[in-house]
Amino acid sequence: MALIPRLDVAALDALPLDPLTKGLPYDGPTMRVGDVGVQDWSVLDGDLPMPVAVIRQARVQANSAWMAAFTEANGLLIAPHGKTTMSPHLFDLQIADGAWAITVATVQQMQVCRRFGVRRVLMANQPIGLQAVKACFAALQDTSFELYCLVDGDEGLAQLAEGARLNPPPEDNPLRVLVEVGFSGGRTGARSRETALTLARAIAATNGLMLSGFECFEGLLPTAEAADGLVNEVATLARRAIEEGLLSRDHPIVVSAGGSAFFDRVGERFNAHEFPFPVLRVLRSGCYLTHDCMGYAAAFERICRQTQLALPPGGLVPALEVWAQVQSVPEKGRALLTMGKRDVGFDAGLPIPQYWYRPGSDMAGPQPMSQGYKTVALNDQHCHLELPVDSDLQVGDLVGFGIGHPCTTFDRWSLLMMVDETYRVVRAIKTFF
Amino acid sequence: MALIPRLDVAALDALPLDPLTKGLPYDGPTMRVGDVGVQDWSVLDGDLPMPVAVIRQARVQANSAWMAAFTEANGLLIAPHGKTTMSPHLFDLQIADGAWAITVATVQQMQVCRRFGVRRVLMANQPIGLQAVKACFAALQDTSFELYCLVDGDEGLAQLAEGARLNPPPEDNPLRVLVEVGFSGGRTGARSRETALTLARAIAATNGLMLSGFECFEGLLPTAEAADGLVNEVATLARRAIEEGLLSRDHPIVVSAGGSAFFDRVGERFNAHEFPFPVLRVLRSGCYLTHDCMGYAAAFERICRQTQLALPPGGLVPALEVWAQVQSVPEKGRALLTMGKRDVGFDAGLPIPQYWYRPGSDMAGPQPMSQGYKTVALNDQHCHLELPVDSDLQVGDLVGFGIGHPCTTFDRWSLLMMVDETYRVVRAIKTFF
């Protein structure tokens, strides 16, 4: 399968940054995104206000390479979910490592991809409403741009059919549609095999649309075993549709699934099915890129323990941290830091204090935080940290926090800092939430 | 007390909007903030992509006016917390209604205020770190800008003293400092009366700083009675400092407190204290402006029931809503909508479906949602809505959600839409998170 071209990072780096952007030094001049990396700023030396969200370059590159090796070794493709980072800089890293497409959840996210040159987008969602449907068909007028999206019912299909009628796509660039397969009590997705097949037939018969396969999102299921069942259903449906002649070998056929928790099971199940001709098995994990210290860390441990797939050397490591400064130690056993709900996600657990550094000291670099430090609360702009009795944490000290569920930390920042292993800023990471 | 001047909203309205901004129609031209209000866009007619965050103009104006009347009737001042909205458009409304200052939590927020012309800022936080302290003293070089900030301990004071030494403020524009009073197990703030007084003496003796009073944040306390005690302590400390000659009548003396849950108790307690000369009693509530449908709604009911203060006619009403579109009704009793954790706060409760509208129907306007509709989960980009058995909610229908804790909904949007009572957009509300 042809790779998609690298992105126009120069256009991104040329964007001006409002000096009011959270994360930039105060009272600085207006600079461009690309200027940030040449300022020689050091997080540890206090060149940046706190809090600051940092991405460790070596780690994020290693994660991207690991996933590329993993998918290649197992006959899979990856269309990384872009909603996690909404950062074209990071999309470009993923594309350089062989991503088949970028996945998005919304039309606004698709537009961000288009602006910076993503040539293939998988919208893992059903476009609904005048604005969304119109934008999809407008995008297809550019025949160098390829769009896959989902449908899970007649109403959604009717909206796409009407969109295609009003604004027909070029004959060689139809809207490629995957039928979404769901489960009772779950999110979107057809609830039965028969519903999904009926829908597939209707899509195949609609002008301007091309039935391209089936998909599911198994990430909300409670266990790997439950995920297996849903993924099997997707593969079974694809086989049935091929047998029925609804899917042709003249165009790419896709089966897809995948959050970041069960991507091994997705690969195993897809690989267990045989198809009469080539089918693209597409994972859509997004969180693997920066990984985390909580739920995805645990999920990856299970994967490494259980999977039958080939595991490349190394593995995923947490690459996203938020650093904050101790603002007050108002009583024994408690410190308050300059980081709050505005700065870090908390839906998968409170951030974990992991590193510690005292600016102006002779410390060689950040030290691992010893036992007994624990985030006990977040307010909008404050972090309440419990300290062990013998702590000598002081006002002005820096603490680096590990996070859970990267999506809800990324979306608190329109600008993150990519750093080297000494926490010097090597480039700005612009996001578009 | 002199009012502060209105803001430079023209500068704000002249800012260009990236067409990729979430909330704007797709594929639109680059427009300026001020252009949005003259497009004649209608939320109900489908002119905007979903989800969209809307502020109901009549309601937000009524809330602002109500708080102005309330504070005036009770001898109080308000420095609304700007962190809630981070919107200079809304700061300007609050200033037009007599706000004494704008409160902020961080230096980045102070810089936003300065850019658009807020002439008095109360930073309800202790500035810590090279960047933050330097920016405070740099700001004071402009003698038309007045800054109050907090100190809660010797380390914080030492950082401010060093900042004043390196970059002395003009003699007539010192950094005005309030001693923060806290409570055991709470957030920042001196833990005892003696600590607070000792700190007050040290501030009064520091070049470039001016002791200006005392404050607390009572919002984390569990009951109104507990809040009473802390607020009393602030007033008592101010009296003691006046008696000791640490506070002079030649400069404004401030006692301040106030989240949005107990602002009545703050006013009652402050008013119960007599001072030998005028003292400004400053509330810092922020959430009152848009109010909510959850915690603050309940808190306001208690206030109306219990307070001894004068209550103007009317009262606070919820003014911030997020509208989303039904994307799928994949099984009986469940709909999925185009709104997720990226679009609406969830830390004070899941959003409440309140209004319903079917685009293209002959409905006169949004109808109240009947009983039995309930948000049961949010994913990053999806809302799971439970429906009553007899629901005829359809794919494409619009649902308007009420929110809790406005701070965590505002910060998901760099652009909100101010609408009239027919949900036509009357202006863009730009935020700076």
Side-chain angles (χ1 to χ4, degrees):
Chain A
M1 198 62 207
L3 295 183
I4 48 176
R6 298 284 299 268
L7 300 198
D8 187 0
V9 177
L12 186 54
D13 283 338
L15 291 178
L17 287 172
D18 190 324
L20 295 176
T21 303
K22 187 175 76 164
L24 285 181
Y26 310 123
D27 294 314
T30 297
M31 54 175 73
R32 295 180 184 276
V33 171
D35 299 334
V36 168
V38 298
Q39 305 298 315
D40 200 30
W41 286 331
S42 158
V43 172
L44 302 179
D45 289 352
D47 294 333
L48 296 173
M50 292 282 148
V52 63
V54 305
I55 297 173
R56 292 170 67 170
Q57 185 174 40
R59 290 180 165 214
V60 82
Q61 288 175 344
N63 289 344
S64 182
W66 187 92
M67 185 56 90
F70 171 80
T71 47
E72 179 162 3
N74 295 292
L76 305 168
L77 295 171
I78 184 149
H81 211 315
K83 67 146 185 181
T84 299
T85 72
M86 282 313 292
S87 164
H89 284 122
L90 297 176
F91 299 170
D92 184 56
L93 170 64
Q94 294 169 308
I95 288 168
D97 279 330
W100 174 74
I102 297 294
T103 297
V104 300
T106 70
V107 172
Q108 180 260 348
Q109 294 174 0
M110 173 187 83
Q111 303 291 56
V112 174
C113 286
R114 288 178 61 219
R115 155 100 63 95
F116 298 104
V118 179
R119 307 313 322 164
R120 183 180 297 123
V121 165
L122 194 170
M123 192 186 307
N125 226 335
Q126 175 165 266
I128 287 291
L130 198 60
Q131 294 283 331
V133 171
K134 198 170 134 192
C136 289
F137 287 100
L140 293 170
Q141 299 302 320
D142 168 5
T143 55
S144 74
F145 177 76
E146 208 174 289
L147 179 62
Y148 291 75
C149 74
L150 310 188
V151 163
D152 80 343
D154 296 337
E155 306 87 344
L157 175 57
Q159 293 210 7
L160 292 186
E162 175 68 2
R165 195 185 63 79
L166 293 174
N167 192 7
E171 200 169 335
D172 58 346
N173 201 28
L175 182 60
R176 291 154 203 262
V177 181
L178 309 179
V179 175
E180 181 166 30
V181 186
F183 55 94
S184 181
R187 207 157 76 184
T188 45
R191 293 307 198 239
S192 77
R193 189 178 293 184
E194 213 30 67
T195 309
L197 271 176
T198 306
L199 199 51
R201 291 178 198 118
I203 294 163
T206 302
N207 285 336
L209 310 188
M210 182 164 72
L211 179 70
S212 295
F214 294 82
E215 73 80 57
C216 69
F217 176 62
E218 81 298 337
L220 297 178
L221 286 164
T223 64
E225 290 68 31
D228 285 350
L230 187 63
V231 175
N232 267 333
E233 187 64 18
V234 167
T236 303
L237 277 162
R239 225 178 42 231
R240 290 276 297 270
I242 290 171
E243 288 161 8
E244 223 180 280
L246 297 173
L247 290 166
S248 136
R249 68 184 308 160
D250 301 340
H251 301 285
I253 301 176
V254 171
V255 291
S256 174
S260 297
F262 301 124
F263 62 79
D264 60 324
R265 307 302 277 244
V266 173
E268 289 174 25
R269 294 298 89 214
F270 282 164
N271 285 350
H273 286 258
E274 288 187 12
F275 300 99
F277 37 80
V279 164
L280 308 180
R281 296 159 165 96
V282 178
L283 301 184
R284 300 194 308 272
S285 315
C287 294
Y288 78 88
L289 188 65
T290 65
H291 205 52
D292 78 359
C293 303
M294 301 187 202
Y296 291 118
F300 190 63
E301 277 184 32
R302 183 201 58 72
I303 290 172
C304 292
R305 230 172 28 239
Q306 291 190 344
T307 190
Q308 309 300 313
L309 298 178
L311 283 176
L316 302 177
V317 285
L320 173 60
E321 299 165 3
V322 180
W323 282 72
Q325 192 152 26
V326 177
Q327 189 180 43
S328 179
V329 186
E331 63 183 75
K332 208 158 177 56
R334 175 155 302 219
L336 284 302
L337 287 89
T338 60
M339 173 183 80
K341 293 181 189 177
R342 252 75 190 269
D343 311 305
V344 68
F346 51 90
D347 58 328
L350 294 171
I352 299 173
Q354 294 192 305
Y355 302 102
W356 166 76
Y357 186 80
R358 179 162 295 160
S361 72
D362 57 1
M363 289 168 68
Q367 302 299 308
M369 206 92 181
S370 57
Q371 291 293 310
Y373 290 87
K374 190 182 169 196
T375 304
V376 292
L378 285 179
N379 301 146
D380 286 348
Q381 316 272 174
H382 292 86
C383 171
H384 299 238
L385 193 68
E386 196 175 272
L387 317 180
V389 285
D390 60 345
S391 171
D392 79 333
L393 197 72
Q394 292 177 11
V395 170
D397 286 356
L398 305 182
V399 177
F401 288 84
I403 57 98
H405 191 195
C407 303
T408 52
T409 290
F410 268 104
D411 67 13
R412 266 96 173 142
W413 297 88
S414 67
L415 196 72
L416 297 91
M417 299 294 176
M418 181 91 92
V419 297
D420 66 18
E421 286 299 289
T422 68
Y423 289 88
R424 298 197 87 82
V425 175
V426 295
R427 76 145 43 257
I429 298 293
K430 176 91 187 83
T431 67
F432 293 85
F433 287 101
Chain B
M1 198 63 209
L3 295 183
I4 48 176
R6 297 285 297 268
L7 300 199
D8 186 0
V9 177
L12 187 53
D13 283 337
L15 291 178
L17 286 172
D18 190 323
L20 294 177
T21 303
K22 187 175 76 165
L24 285 180
Y26 310 122
D27 294 314
T30 297
M31 53 176 72
R32 295 179 184 278
V33 172
D35 299 334
V36 169
V38 297
Q39 305 298 317
D40 199 31
W41 286 331
S42 157
V43 172
L44 302 180
D45 290 350
D47 294 333
L48 296 174
M50 292 283 147
V52 64
V54 305
I55 298 174
R56 292 170 65 170
Q57 185 173 40
R59 290 181 164 212
V60 82
Q61 287 174 344
N63 289 345
S64 183
W66 187 90
M67 185 55 89
F70 171 80
T71 47
E72 179 161 3
N74 295 291
L76 305 167
L77 294 171
I78 183 147
H81 212 316
K83 66 146 185 179
T84 298
T85 73
M86 281 313 294
S87 164
H89 285 122
L90 297 175
F91 299 169
D92 184 56
L93 170 65
Q94 294 169 308
I95 289 168
D97 279 330
W100 173 74
I102 297 294
T103 297
V104 300
T106 70
V107 172
Q108 181 260 349
Q109 294 174 359
M110 173 187 83
Q111 303 292 56
V112 174
C113 287
R114 289 177 61 218
R115 155 100 63 97
F116 298 105
V118 178
R119 308 313 318 166
R120 185 181 295 124
V121 165
L122 195 170
M123 192 187 308
N125 225 333
Q126 177 165 263
I128 288 291
L130 199 61
Q131 294 283 332
V133 171
K134 199 170 134 192
C136 289
F137 287 100
L140 293 171
Q141 300 302 320
D142 169 5
T143 56
S144 75
F145 177 75
E146 209 173 289
L147 179 62
Y148 291 74
C149 75
L150 311 187
V151 164
D152 81 342
D154 296 336
E155 305 87 345
L157 175 56
Q159 293 211 6
L160 292 185
E162 175 68 2
R165 194 184 64 77
L166 292 174
N167 192 8
E171 200 168 335
D172 58 346
N173 200 29
L175 182 60
R176 293 154 203 262
V177 180
L178 309 179
V179 175
E180 181 167 30
V181 186
F183 56 94
S184 182
R187 207 158 74 184
T188 46
R191 294 307 199 240
S192 78
R193 189 178 294 183
E194 212 33 64
T195 309
L197 272 176
T198 306
L199 199 52
R201 291 179 197 116
I203 295 162
T206 301
N207 284 337
L209 311 187
M210 183 164 73
L211 179 71
S212 295
F214 295 81
E215 72 80 54
C216 68
F217 176 62
E218 81 298 338
L220 297 178
L221 286 164
T223 65
E225 291 68 30
D228 285 351
L230 186 63
V231 175
N232 267 333
E233 188 64 19
V234 166
T236 302
L237 277 162
R239 225 177 43 230
R240 289 277 296 273
I242 290 170
E243 289 161 7
E244 223 181 280
L246 298 173
L247 289 165
S248 138
R249 69 182 309 161
D250 300 339
H251 302 286
I253 301 175
V254 171
V255 291
S256 174
S260 297
F262 302 124
F263 62 78
D264 60 324
R265 306 302 275 247
V266 174
E268 288 174 25
R269 294 297 89 215
F270 281 164
N271 284 350
H273 286 258
E274 289 187 11
F275 300 98
F277 38 78
V279 164
L280 308 180
R281 295 159 166 95
V282 178
L283 301 184
R284 302 193 309 271
S285 314
C287 294
Y288 77 89
L289 187 67
T290 65
H291 205 53
D292 79 0
C293 303
M294 300 188 202
Y296 291 117
F300 191 64
E301 276 184 31
R302 183 201 58 72
I303 290 172
C304 292
R305 227 168 34 236
Q306 292 189 343
T307 190
Q308 310 299 314
L309 298 178
L311 284 176
L316 302 178
V317 285
L320 174 59
E321 298 164 3
V322 180
W323 282 73
Q325 193 153 24
V326 177
Q327 189 180 41
S328 179
V329 186
E331 63 182 73
K332 209 159 176 61
R334 174 155 302 218
L336 283 301
L337 287 89
T338 60
M339 174 184 80
K341 294 181 189 175
R342 253 74 190 271
D343 310 306
V344 67
F346 52 89
D347 57 329
L350 293 172
I352 299 173
Q354 294 192 307
Y355 302 102
W356 166 75
Y357 186 80
R358 178 161 296 163
S361 72
D362 57 1
M363 288 167 69
Q367 301 300 309
M369 206 93 184
S370 57
Q371 290 293 309
Y373 291 86
K374 190 182 170 198
T375 304
V376 291
L378 285 179
N379 301 146
D380 286 348
Q381 316 272 176
H382 291 87
C383 171
H384 299 239
L385 193 68
E386 195 176 273
L387 317 180
V389 283
D390 60 345
S391 172
D392 79 334
L393 197 71
Q394 292 176 10
V395 170
D397 286 356
L398 305 182
V399 176
F401 288 84
I403 57 98
H405 191 195
C407 302
T408 52
T409 290
F410 268 104
D411 66 14
R412 266 104 172 134
W413 296 88
S414 67
L415 197 72
L416 298 90
M417 299 295 175
M418 181 91 92
V419 297
D420 66 16
E421 286 298 290
T422 68
Y423 289 87
R424 297 198 88 81
V425 175
V426 295
R427 79 146 39 257
I429 298 293
K430 176 92 187 84
T431 67
F432 292 84
F433 287 102

